[in-house]
Amino acid sequence: MLRGRAFKFGDGISTDHIVPGRLAHLRSNLPELAKHVMEDADPTFAARVKPGGFIVAGRNFGLGSSREHAALVIKLAGVSAVLAQSVARVFFRNAINQGLPVLICDTARIDDGDELAVDLVVGVVNDITNGNKLYFSRIPRVMLGILDEGGLIPYIQKYGDFKL
Amino acid sequence: MCGVGKTLAEKILSVKTGGDVRPGDTIIAGIDLAFVQDTTGPLTIRQFEAAGFTHLAEPQKAALFLDHAAPSPNRGLANDHELLRRFARKTGCLIYDVGEGVCHQIVAESLARPGDVIIGADSHTVTAGGLGAFATGMGSSDTAVAFALGRTWLRVPESVRIEMKGRFSEGVGAKDAILSLIGQIGADGATYQALEFGGDAVAAMSLSSRLTMANMAAEAGAKVGLFPSDEITRDYLAEQGRAEHYRPISPDPDAEYDRVINLDVDSLEPVVARPHAVDNTAPARELKGTKVQQVFIGTCTNGRLEDLAVAAGILKDKKSVVRLIVAPASRRVLLVAIGAGYIQTLVEAGAVVLPPGCGACLGVHQGVLGDGEVCLSTANRNFKGRMGNPESFIYLGSPATAAATAITGEITDPREVI
Ligand code: SF4
């Protein structure tokens, strides 16, 4: 069970919003890079986010570049999951590979600041503030396996190959 | 009715896996090429090492490109370049150092073959779909594992057929076609799907134009953007000195598509994407009066010979009234453009020529915009902050629109100046 506060964002949050290309020189200094997470979407987010918090976005979250740093810094910032109406494919894969759950659900029913509890096993988001229950779409099996191990690298270390 | 025909994506992946794959299947596919560039490569190497790998599955099927921040603008990136060079020495993989050009251009010129499965730690890996390769972007972890195992898992995508009919009129090209399509279907219009381009207009399209359109399949969220492999592909491969890599590939006539979108090429006009989204499109003529301070011609979308030829044709004996930055997509493009006189023409018109590579595209070095400044760029993305400054504005257009805009200093439909 994951628990934390919702931080709301709109549609079309790109990897440039999440970690701008101009910060490429910080990519080998991840803690420093994480201080800039979501900077071009909300410059106050990095300072406000608390461990366990959720990014709650609209459509097509994570579009743009294939930089895995986007998923990585969100995880480093302590975010426990990304909830969105839809997610760009490379970001989706990168997040799972980093052990960051990405849940597709009707985020319009969540307000900024709501307290959420997410049950990954049952597949439900409980919005404690307004009492809504949102069911999210099934994550493909191979990805669930990767998520279970905390990411692709630990998964490969354990199994040595992909298990379909 | 369940047909038996296959789309291009299903055909390539079926041959690859020796099976009969269908959309929605999860498969494990052997990789013909896996590559990284200098901003995603360092994390790839760290993940490769973190997993305990020491050897590549096949060194000749792994490539590193130093193109995004090349030559390096600072110490951090210079050290990243060194990390990549060391990895190449240790593992024996291919490396293309500073000045060779943008990864996707080199992949098209030298590496991709029709029917290949290619993954790259860069979203525009889809560019090689212009040659009929199933080429898709992934992250650093996936690429690290592909380096080591020589395979990856894939979900077989549904396909969307883009039926292109007619002929391009003067001043209108592949960039206008793809911007117009993205404007129509939206930046998430083909998420997880394969875009498959076909129709009589495609049969007449140059390989360079096909690469431009396949490149921007990423901007509709697609997993791949595929063109058939035909005589044009064959001639291109022969020109690049690798005729033996040609293999014809076409979709079955009874292939099943998620949907078919008709793109009437005859009626296309120059299109521009406005800040800060690629699907925020408008006809170039409607943006007349929008002043720009910089024009950028280059990138994996429009930095090829054909693009420089179009720009030089428009700028011949003219002067750019704004900063004009040109970055050829590869050393090969630069050399041929010098031989053909295009570089001379562009420099006489006032252009600054950057080394082959990504140039001003991603805001890590030369060509960063000032606060409030506006750029007309031939790149594929205009997200806020993309060119290094979130207080600036990027419009995307074709090389013809870029050249026309450089002459007038405001966004200009190229048909007004040719
Ligand atoms: S030219 Fe631009 S879009 Fe293409 S690979 Fe380089 S940074 Fe990416």
Side-chain angles (χ1 to χ4, degrees), chain A residues 3-164:
Chain A
R3 208 172 158 135
R5 174 192 188 283
F7 289 84
K8 274 209 89 165
F9 292 88
D11 293 338
I13 299 293
S14 75
T15 50
D16 281 304
H17 287 108
I18 304 170
V19 353
R22 67 174 177 278
L23 300 176
H25 60 287
L26 289 180
R27 288 189 193 173
S28 291
N29 184 352
L30 295 170
E32 201 49 44
L33 193 62
K35 289 186 190 158
H36 297 271
V37 62
M38 307 298 286
E39 188 165 278
D40 286 356
D42 175 0
T44 69
F45 174 77
R48 290 191 299 132
V49 65
K50 300 251 163 32
F54 296 95
I55 286 179
V56 179
R59 280 173 52 180
N60 210 12
F61 185 83
L63 77 155
S65 134
S66 65
R67 61 186 77 131
E68 194 163 320
H69 309 78
L72 185 50
V73 293
I74 289 175
K75 181 140 193 252
L76 280 178
V79 170
S80 58
V82 172
L83 283 58
Q85 283 161 23
S86 63
V87 173
R89 50 165 289 276
V90 187
F91 179 85
F92 190 23
R93 206 164 158 140
N94 284 343
I96 303 294
N97 286 345
Q98 286 294 336
L100 174 70
V102 172
L103 313 171
I104 310 300
C105 59
D106 181 13
T107 53
R109 298 173 61 200
I110 301 173
D111 289 315
D112 188 52
D114 283 1
E115 189 67 23
L116 308 180
V118 172
D119 188 331
L120 288 175
V121 182
V122 178
V124 67
V125 180
N126 289 298
D127 188 323
I128 296 163
T129 309
N130 65 19
N132 284 338
K133 270 187 189 320
L134 310 174
Y135 291 89
F136 49 82
S137 344
R138 214 167 45 91
I139 299 175
R141 214 158 64 101
V142 49
M143 289 184 140
L144 270 183
I146 294 169
L147 209 45
D148 272 349
E149 299 307 323
L152 180 61
I153 299 306
Y155 171 93
I156 288 291
Q157 282 175 319
K158 179 161 171 183
Y159 297 109
D161 205 340
F162 297 104
K163 296 262 167 291
L164 290 189

Side-chain angles (χ1 to χ4, degrees), chain B residues 180-238:
Chain B
S180 158
L181 177 71
I182 293 164
Q184 194 181 323
I185 67 175
D188 57 354
T191 303
Y192 308 117
Q193 297 182 310
L195 284 185
E196 180 183 299
F197 299 93
D200 60 0
V202 161
M205 266 172 88
S206 70
L207 208 285
S208 175
S209 291
R210 295 177 183 188
L211 294 171
T212 298
M213 291 194 74
N215 173 272
M216 289 193 71
E219 268 54 64
K223 184 172 203 155
V224 287
L226 287 166
F227 279 81
S229 165
D230 56 15
E231 298 85 67
I232 291 189
T233 323
R234 185 194 59 204
D235 294 350
Y236 175 81
L237 288 169

Side-chain angles (χ1 to χ4, degrees), chain B residues 42-80:
Chain B
L43 182 56
T44 306
I45 292 174
R46 284 202 292 277
Q47 297 295 70
F48 182 89
E49 288 168 352
F53 295 129
T54 51
H55 289 81
L56 300 172
E58 281 180 80
Q60 292 309 302
K61 293 184 177 179
L64 317 180
F65 294 90
L66 276 53
D67 55 354
H68 279 58
S72 69
N74 59 47
R75 183 173 169 185
L77 288 164
N79 288 334
D80 282 347

Side-chain angles (χ1 to χ4, degrees), chain B residues 277-328:
Chain B
V278 185
D279 55 4
N280 187 16
T281 54
R285 61 184 161 75
E286 283 180 15
L287 298 171
K288 203 173 162 57
T290 307
K291 296 255 181 285
V292 312
Q293 287 76 40
Q294 179 169 301
V295 167
F296 175 46
I297 299 173
T299 81
C300 55
T301 316
N302 282 127
R304 281 177 279 280
L305 193 66
E306 173 176 294
D307 305 313
L308 301 185
V310 165
I314 294 174
L315 283 158
K316 179 108 190 128
D317 302 325
K318 302 257 173 45
K319 283 274 179 275
S320 172
V321 298
V322 297
R323 296 193 301 272
L324 172 61
I325 299 177
V326 175

